[in-house]
Amino acid sequence: MSQFKFSVGPWNVHAGADSYGPPTRQEIDFDTKLAKFAELGFSAIQFHDDDAVPNINDYTEEQIKEKARELKKKLDKYGLAAEFVAPRLWMDEHSIDGGFMSTSAEDREYAMWRAYRSIDIARELDCDMIVLWLAREGTLCAESKSPVWATRQLIEAINKMLAYDPKIRVCIEPKPNEPIDRSICGTMGHVMAISAATIDPSRVGGNLESAHAILAGLDPAHEIGFALAMGKLMTVHLNDQNGIRYDQDKTFGVENLRAAFNQVKVLKENGYGSHGEYVGLDVKAMRTTTDEDCYKHLENSLKIFRALEKKVDRFDYDFQKKCVETRDFEALEMYVMNLLMGID
Ligand code: GLO
Ligand code: MG
């Protein structure tokens, strides 16, 4: 039995379309996904604001809250909690050039409207966290905006969110690029710096996604460890990624098992989850996956995570200590490889 609670977003099950081709699977309706997520053993759902309230632009603030209350009833029916709400600031025509640091004042205002509505929805869903995946917050053309101005815009926007609701926690999910060229807040280090510059650093932390760390050329377990050391790891998006390419969101552990082992290890060793944090997945099925198998990547990610938990349980800390004392890192490394290969 895992010591962790897991979460997932509805976008993890999708119809297979990519930038180069149309869907390859049927769309699955939201209620069916919820039922299946509960059956697979997930405890909480991650939401975009418009996953929670589709066509959010068409409603008043009161109507949005009402719709969120209806969703809460649905979640209760399946025994699922809401982990976070994330303003989707990359699809709408107002977010063509970013949200909080868009070059258009009107579009920046729209971004704040979505952030406030996300907080309203979170409140109705009984959750206290919003996630900012800063998809288009950066530059497409380096000279189009000042990085100094853009960074300050982000801090100011977060300060407004913190002031809007004294309980809300703002969790930044950093990514170095894609869909933008250069991100303003691309790594966990940037997130910590932004946090420190806000009016309430205790309520601003990070969501480390394995793939995003790899895209920045960094090690996911070290990024997780860095945020844990600062007491600011609010959630994780576990997945995998084959080096510095397009964002792949592969099943957790399939590309680099040792790196995945070390992510589980650092989470376990540091009591992650003891303050209610979830182990979140952000994984995509392959384009070739069939309709019947459209949840397989989630099942497989959970299986791999749990199997690695058992490996961490078996990790021989006495042997590790001895190796460190004698600086025999060859032996320690081979011990880890044998542990992962199942060779005693
Ligand atoms: C994309 C991100 C995205 C976010 C999600 C929640 O690269 O990982 O999936 O996690 O929109 O904010
Ligand atoms: Mg993510």
Side-chain angles (χ1 to χ4, degrees):
M1 194 50 193
S2 176
Q3 74 179 60
F4 295 103
K5 291 183 301 175
F6 297 90
S7 74
V8 64
W11 64 90
N12 281 222
V13 175
H14 77 124
D18 64 18
S19 319
Y20 303 95
T24 56
R25 289 181 291 275
Q26 299 291 320
E27 279 295 345
I28 296 176
D29 71 82
F30 181 65
D31 288 56
T32 312
K33 285 185 190 177
L34 283 191
K36 187 69 183 177
F37 290 155
E39 186 193 316
L40 290 176
F42 288 98
S43 312
I45 305 298
Q46 312 163 16
F47 289 101
H48 293 118
D49 52 356
D50 58 359
D51 293 323
V53 181
N55 306 314
I56 191 165
N57 284 344
D58 300 344
Y59 300 111
T60 63
E61 293 170 22
E62 266 323 302
Q63 286 169 326
I64 291 169
K65 287 185 198 166
E66 179 52 37
K67 298 218 169 266
R69 282 194 282 275
E70 284 163 26
L71 171 62
K72 175 77 173 78
K73 283 188 208 139
K74 213 178 269 182
L75 290 174
D76 288 347
K77 191 174 109 194
Y78 293 109
L80 292 164
E83 188 195 10
F84 65 70
V85 180
R88 198 198 295 267
L89 288 175
W90 52 95
M91 290 284 199
D92 196 272
E93 57 181 314
H94 288 290
S95 56
I96 290 174
D97 189 31
F100 311 118
M101 55 186 82
S102 166
T103 43
S104 146
E106 190 193 325
D107 291 348
R108 291 199 297 277
E109 211 173 292
Y110 174 79
M112 283 315 300
W113 186 83
R114 292 286 291 256
Y116 293 143
R117 299 300 72 76
S118 296
I119 295 172
D120 291 348
I121 296 169
R123 255 196 223 129
E124 298 296 342
L125 298 181
D126 219 7
C127 92
D128 69 349
M129 185 160 82
I130 61 164
V131 161
L132 303 181
W133 170 45
L134 303 168
R136 299 191 192 276
E137 308 289 17
T139 56
L140 283 169
C141 170
E143 296 77 17
S144 65
K145 55 185 90 157
S146 148
V148 176
W149 172 85
T151 305
R152 288 182 181 152
Q153 285 299 125
L154 178 61
I155 295 164
E156 202 181 296
I158 293 172
N159 282 343
K160 285 184 190 160
M161 295 171 217
L162 295 170
Y164 180 73
D165 181 331
K167 291 226 168 68
I168 203 73
R169 293 182 301 143
V170 178
C171 174
I172 304 175
E173 179 180 336
K175 184 175 180 181
N177 61 285
E178 206 198 20
I180 40 130
D181 182 4
R182 291 176 177 82
S183 164
I184 283 294
C185 183
T187 69
M188 200 44 95
H190 291 87
V191 173
M192 295 303 122
I194 295 283
S195 168
T198 63
I199 52 172
D200 189 355
S202 73
R203 289 195 284 139
V204 184
N207 172 9
L208 192 280
E209 175 160 328
S210 327
H212 296 178
I214 296 165
L215 283 171
L218 298 168
D219 178 82
H222 269 214
E223 293 292 280
I224 288 174
F226 183 72
L228 282 169
M230 304 292 170
K232 291 192 193 307
L233 187 69
M234 292 182 173
T235 189
V236 290
H237 265 177
L238 299 189
N239 55 18
D240 215 343
Q241 168 75 25
N242 178 16
I244 305 177
R245 296 164 202 269
Y246 63 95
D247 187 6
Q248 300 176 315
D249 296 338
K250 290 185 178 208
T251 294
F252 179 61
V254 295
E255 204 49 56
N256 188 337
L257 200 57
R258 185 177 177 188
F261 167 74
N262 282 316
Q263 289 171 69
V264 179
K265 187 164 171 288
V266 73
L267 290 172
K268 242 174 137 47
E269 284 174 352
N270 291 282
Y272 179 83
S274 59
H275 298 105
E277 304 94 337
Y278 294 93
V279 171
L281 297 181
D282 196 356
V283 291
K284 263 200 199 89
M286 287 178 246
R287 191 167 158 74
T288 45
T289 301
T290 59
D291 287 293
E292 303 84 79
D293 284 344
C294 69
Y295 294 91
K296 266 274 139 58
H297 60 303
L298 290 170
E299 289 180 63
N300 292 345
S301 293
L302 291 177
K303 270 188 201 155
I304 292 170
F305 185 95
R306 287 175 175 141
L308 290 175
E309 268 190 87
K310 289 202 188 112
K311 296 286 182 190
V312 175
D313 287 338
R314 286 187 46 201
F315 187 78
D316 188 341
Y317 286 93
D318 290 336
F319 182 71
Q320 184 241 18
K321 196 164 165 256
K322 232 188 290 156
C323 290
V324 172
E325 275 162 12
T326 56
R327 292 262 169 89
D328 192 353
F329 297 157
E330 298 291 352
L332 179 57
E333 184 163 78
M334 197 57 206
Y335 164 72
V336 173
M337 297 321 286
N338 282 336
L339 180 69
L340 293 177
M341 291 189 290
I343 299 171
D344 287 321

